[in-house]
Amino acid sequence: MEEKQKKSGFVTLVGRPNVGKSTLMNQLIGQKIAITSNKPQTTRNRIQTVYTDDRGQIIFLDTPGIHKAKNKLGEYMVNVAEHTLNEVDVILWLVEPTTFIGAGEQHIAEQLRATKTPIILVINKIDTLKNQDDVLTFIAAYKDICDFAEIVPLSALKGKNTDLLTELIFKYLPYGPQFYDEDTVTDQPMRQIAAELIREKALRLLDDEIPHGIAVTIEKMTERKNGMIDIEATIICERESHKGIVIGKGGSMLKKIGTAARSEIGNMMETQVNLKLWVKVRKEWRDSELYMKNYGYNPNDAK
């Protein structure tokens, strides 16, 4: 009987930077995989996470925000996002609750109109609305911009209506075998997750002091006999002045970043972590294909 068959497929989250894609994916998966920050464009690679229940399996691809590129790293991020649209079974387009549809949204709508993949419009951040009835005006503003399969208002931060979204995703997925074991949550190697968590803590603690030009590389990651993990990592920034800010007075900022990252990496790996951090300057690394490859962003992956 078809009812007993399981569904399995790929879903991508698209939207302008900072609309809450990573927050939503973490909420749907039930644990933290993608980094979240109040700065746009924190997701630089396509993060693949897996949700499994008795209905089947959803593989989420959290892509970088679609935006106008300013440098080679920007071009790479946009290529990854747009390339994904044709490879998935369902597209989730996240927008903020507003009636103003700006150039960024128009650009995304243009990309989406070219695909035959079912699109679910997700109006996020409804927890910020004083009057919940206002949602109807936002739905009206967006409903004709694309041919949407569904429109779901929700709050990724508070988890409101996220169960409904999961239900609707399964509705559009094909029947088929599962791609991953049921206990798999992500295909990202632990080194990459550790690097992303360190970068997130740096972005959060540095707040607006440093622009986006930081990367993190894991130099060494080893496990001791007692299960404790030693990690040596380098934070890369673009200017000498940034290096001083990342280190902080008497090393105070670097210590804060390390403490916050160590705690979260330890929770995720379910073991104690010994983390050592260094800071290096690599001028204009975001415009160097060689440096981008070294820091885990291979332009050829986006083609």
Side-chain angles (χ1 to χ4, degrees):
M1 293 284 290
E2 195 167 69
E3 283 73 36
K4 289 182 182 174
Q5 269 190 284
K6 297 207 171 184
K7 290 189 157 191
S8 188
F10 292 82
V11 176
T12 191
L13 297 88
V14 299
R16 286 181 66 242
N18 223 18
V19 291
K21 296 185 297 296
S22 297
T23 304
L24 178 61
M25 189 174 69
N26 290 334
Q27 179 70 247
L28 294 171
I29 292 296
Q31 62 174 285
K32 182 163 182 174
I33 298 295
I35 78 167
T36 57
S37 149
N38 59 2
K39 294 188 176 188
Q41 293 164 41
T42 38
T43 304
R44 288 184 178 165
N45 280 308
R46 198 161 52 165
I47 294 176
Q48 199 151 299
T49 56
V50 185
Y51 173 85
T52 308
D53 69 12
D54 54 6
R55 293 168 288 187
Q57 193 168 75
I58 306 169
I59 297 118
F60 288 101
L61 304 177
D62 178 32
T63 63
I66 295 176
H67 59 281
K68 278 212 159 64
K70 290 181 185 160
N71 50 36
K72 277 194 166 59
L73 178 62
E75 284 169 28
Y76 164 77
M77 289 160 69
V78 173
N79 284 341
V80 167
E82 294 179 358
H83 188 61
T84 307
L85 299 179
N86 300 314
E87 298 177 349
V88 295
D89 301 294
V90 176
I91 295 167
L92 303 182
W93 179 18
L94 266 73
V95 298
E96 295 192 340
T98 175
T99 53
F100 175 71
I101 302 176
E105 264 82 21
Q106 296 286 1
H107 174 68
I108 293 171
E110 206 178 301
Q111 307 293 322
L112 295 181
R113 283 195 289 267
T115 175
K116 292 185 170 63
T117 308
I119 303 159
I120 298 176
L121 179 71
V122 175
I123 300 174
N124 190 22
K125 305 187 184 180
I126 60 166
D127 55 297
T128 60
L129 302 179
K130 287 187 180 135
N131 183 356
Q132 290 297 309
D133 290 344
D134 289 346
V135 165
L136 297 172
T137 60
F138 308 135
I139 290 172
Y142 269 95
K143 69 181 175 56
D144 297 324
I145 195 171
C146 274
D147 186 12
F148 296 113
E150 307 281 351
I151 298 179
V152 183
L154 58 72
S155 166
L157 192 62
K158 308 285 187 191
K160 187 177 179 183
N161 276 355
T162 51
D163 286 351
L164 170 64
L165 180 63
T166 305
E167 200 177 298
L168 290 171
I169 290 168
F170 274 118
K171 177 178 165 185
Y172 292 96
L173 290 188
Y175 289 97
Q178 298 190 347
F179 293 90
Y180 292 92
D181 293 338
E182 60 185 46
D183 59 350
T184 300
V185 176
T186 178
D187 72 342
Q188 295 291 94
M190 281 326 279
R191 285 173 82 101
Q192 195 163 345
I193 291 173
E196 288 288 271
L197 286 172
I198 295 165
R199 194 163 68 88
E200 175 190 47
K201 298 307 168 201
L203 286 172
R204 284 224 170 146
L205 289 163
L206 294 164
D207 200 28
D208 295 325
E209 289 189 85
I210 281 197
H212 246 291
I214 62 170
V216 174
T217 58
I218 303 294
E219 313 296 341
K220 200 172 170 188
M221 192 166 174
T222 52
E223 190 174 349
R224 299 186 196 179
K225 283 179 183 171
N226 64 2
M228 188 173 182
I229 292 172
D230 292 294
I231 300 173
E232 295 180 15
T234 304
I235 297 173
I236 314 288
C237 50
E238 288 186 310
R239 295 179 193 161
E240 283 294 337
S241 58
H242 294 171
K243 182 178 179 180
I245 296 168
V246 175
I247 293 170
K249 196 174 178 183
S252 58
M253 179 53 76
L254 196 60
K255 192 175 178 184
K256 272 188 195 169
I257 294 167
T259 302
R262 184 176 66 241
S263 165
E264 195 148 335
I265 295 166
N267 288 341
M268 182 165 271
M269 296 185 177
E270 297 179 340
T271 187
Q272 276 192 301
V273 170
N274 172 39
L275 176 63
K276 287 183 182 169
L277 290 178
W278 285 270
V279 184
K280 282 183 189 169
V281 176
R282 290 283 180 269
K283 287 179 181 159
E284 308 296 332
W285 73 264
R286 287 183 293 174
D287 266 323
S288 159
E289 287 198 10
L290 178 64
Y291 281 142
M292 278 175 59
K293 281 178 188 171
N294 285 345
Y295 304 153
Y297 314 116
N298 188 346
N300 293 327
D301 290 347
K303 289 174 183 163

